[in-house]
Amino acid sequence: MSTTRRTVLIASGASLALPNIAPAQEAPGVTATEIRIGSTNSLSGPASAYSVISTCLTAMFRRLNDEGGVGGRRINFIVYDDAYAPPRTLEQTRRLVEQDRVAFTFNQLGTPTNNAVHRYMNQRRVPHLFLATGADKWANPREYPWTIGWQPSYRVEAQIYAKHILETRPNAKIALLHQNDDFGRDYLNGVRDVLGPRFDSMVRVATNEATDPTVDSQIVQLQAGGADVLICGVIPRFAAQAIRRVHDIGWRPMMFMTNVSVSVGAVMQPAGPERGVGLITSDYRKDQSDPAWANDPGMNEWRAFMQRFIPGADLTDNNFTYGYGVGTTMIQVLRQCGNDFSRENVMRQAASIAPMEIATLLPGVKVQTQPTNFNVIRQMQLQRWTGTGWARFGNVIEGANV
């Protein structure tokens, strides 16, 4: 597997306007002119649909550098391909920390992949920031004070789905398809949280591995059990397969899909937009296909950024609105650092974000952290696929109230 490296540091010889350059610090990854930040993503492999997030973040740091950087320093953002393979993630993360000597890592993709480096990053006391995964375990500052997620927890998302099912179909027979790792098991745990002792009588479960070629057999198996509700906690490739298979075999359950696998461009279009009509998910982002945001100032800010820095990108892929949101959060933390980019202060600032609105997040959804609460985004809203876009319904729901 070849290694891909992306860096946004302007090549040597480029002029650098640094009006307030501070003295170099004795901090890894930080000089008087540069802050090195590392990341890993599935630039190839089964989860490569998420690689556009790194494309978006690279462009955001390029824009920041064009504007003079932060604290007089330019950002050198280094992204390595782990192909969504945990041993590869560990190898590439060690390379970032021990060879590239990055100040910290940011938005590494995936639950099983971050599992592989979770203990390593905390033992090394290297900030492991705003991971691209919603596993519940990333919000545990007592045991893992150097790791913090960003998006809402998968477990809370599953709780919301289960509550909606009980309200609308109290006698439902539920089929649950989930990836056989911590990502997928959060959906199992969230549904169990709400159903309690009724879980075993109401739910039939099937699992898949990230390396499986398809989930077709699991879908047929779950249909045979007579379920009238289907919940899926799978990555985009399997999400498109599941939507297509459910439709093609004539199964018509109330169907829920994890909100990390509902991109119009990466999932709904490949599945066939007509096949997914009625599909329910939740989200905390504004969706490009929703006409409510046609003249929204925040989405106009994002569209202008996309047009200038990533022209030709598929605006229907909501991984770009995700990237813009998490990138904005990271830049806010860097600005809060002032002139102290030590690992200790970066982590302190990441855990001290006052409630803030972000251009691509829904009204009522805020980014915030406290030293004892690493759940960065805590609100979501249900939405349903119409065949051409996502239609929101119900109120914005905060996880703590589920």
Side-chain angles (χ1 to χ4, degrees):
M1 184 67 66
S2 63
T3 295
T4 299
R5 170 173 173 162
R6 297 177 178 174
T7 175
V8 299
L9 183 65
I10 303 301
S12 61
S15 62
L16 197 60
L18 297 173
N20 296 305
I21 294 178
Q25 294 176 310
E26 295 296 327
V30 181
T31 71
T33 59
E34 177 186 289
I35 302 170
R36 281 194 301 281
I37 303 173
S39 189
T40 53
N41 196 330
S42 180
L43 305 180
S44 63
S48 59
Y50 295 121
S51 64
V52 298
I53 297 171
S54 294
T55 302
C56 182
L57 296 175
T58 298
M60 292 189 74
F61 288 130
R62 186 184 309 124
R63 181 180 66 175
L64 183 65
N65 288 342
D66 289 350
E67 295 169 347
V70 61
R73 297 170 174 86
R74 302 175 74 85
I75 304 302
N76 181 0
F77 186 48
I78 304 168
V79 182
Y80 289 134
D81 183 15
D82 67 5
Y84 202 62
R88 186 74 168 166
T89 311
L90 178 57
E91 175 188 342
Q92 299 291 43
T93 300
R94 293 188 64 162
R95 181 182 174 189
L96 287 165
V97 172
E98 298 171 27
Q99 296 181 29
D100 297 314
R101 289 183 60 77
V102 297
F104 56 88
T105 66
F106 164 52
N107 200 239
Q108 292 184 261
L109 176 90
T111 301
T113 43
N114 275 292
N115 263 343
V117 301
H118 196 196
R119 186 176 299 276
Y120 169 81
M121 296 297 282
N122 280 267
Q123 287 176 338
R124 288 265 177 168
R125 301 168 67 86
V126 179
H128 183 209
L129 301 182
F130 306 133
L131 313 186
T133 150
D136 212 46
K137 64 191 303 180
W138 313 131
N140 185 2
R142 175 173 294 182
E143 294 184 36
Y144 293 95
W146 296 87
T147 296
I148 186 169
W150 187 74
Q151 67 212 59
S153 154
Y154 301 135
R155 186 166 183 162
V156 169
E157 181 187 355
Q159 291 169 351
I160 290 172
Y161 298 156
K163 283 183 66 72
H164 184 71
I165 291 165
L166 289 181
E167 291 169 2
T168 55
R169 297 191 184 188
N171 298 314
K173 292 183 178 179
I174 302 171
L176 173 60
L177 171 64
H178 70 83
Q179 193 162 296
N180 188 28
D181 56 22
D182 283 348
F183 157 54
R185 282 189 286 272
D186 266 358
Y187 289 88
L188 180 75
N189 293 331
V191 173
R192 192 187 296 274
D193 288 341
V194 174
L195 298 185
R198 291 175 292 177
F199 181 90
D200 289 340
S201 62
M202 292 182 69
V203 183
R204 184 168 184 174
V205 178
T207 63
N208 73 289
E209 304 294 336
T211 52
D212 286 347
T214 78
V215 293
D216 285 358
S217 62
Q218 289 93 330
I219 293 296
V220 171
Q221 171 195 341
L222 290 170
Q223 182 206 25
D228 59 350
V229 172
L230 172 62
I231 302 172
C232 296
V234 294
I235 59 178
R237 180 161 66 102
F238 299 123
Q241 290 177 3
I243 294 166
R244 189 183 309 120
R245 188 62 171 166
V246 165
H247 179 274
D248 290 351
I249 62 176
W251 190 16
R252 297 294 181 267
M254 175 188 284
M255 185 172 177
F256 297 82
M257 184 61 68
T258 166
N259 64 30
V260 296
S261 298
V262 294
S263 164
V264 176
V267 174
M268 303 312 295
Q269 292 291 351
E274 73 286 355
R275 290 187 172 99
V277 172
L279 181 70
I280 297 173
T281 188
S282 61
D283 215 337
Y284 50 94
R285 298 158 294 188
K286 299 168 186 169
D287 189 275
Q288 164 70 7
S289 67
D290 188 338
W293 315 123
N295 297 306
D296 177 70
M299 288 297 277
N300 285 341
E301 172 189 319
W302 170 74
R303 291 184 192 104
F305 161 79
M306 294 294 291
Q307 183 175 16
R308 179 179 174 190
F309 289 93
I310 321 178
D314 179 5
L315 297 185
T316 66
D317 188 342
N318 64 4
N319 288 305
F320 284 112
T321 51
Y322 166 89
Y324 198 79
V326 74
T328 301
T329 306
M330 187 67 255
I331 291 169
Q332 170 65 23
V333 169
L334 290 171
R335 288 179 171 147
Q336 284 182 202
C337 285
N339 199 34
D340 180 359
F341 297 98
S342 65
R343 287 172 171 170
E344 291 76 11
N345 193 45
V346 168
M347 197 66 230
R348 189 179 305 117
Q349 299 306 322
S352 306
I353 304 174
M356 62 179 286
E357 296 180 349
I358 287 182
T360 54
L361 300 189
L362 291 173
V365 175
K366 297 183 187 301
V367 163
Q368 59 184 310
T369 57
Q370 294 88 36
T372 57
N373 190 342
F374 279 14
N375 291 291
V376 180
I377 298 178
R378 305 161 194 175
Q379 304 91 12
M380 287 183 282
Q381 187 173 20
L382 291 173
Q383 56 185 15
R384 186 179 284 114
W385 180 249
T386 65
T388 57
W390 292 103
R392 290 167 290 119
F393 64 96
N395 298 320
V396 171
I397 305 169
E398 182 160 338
N401 295 328
V402 172

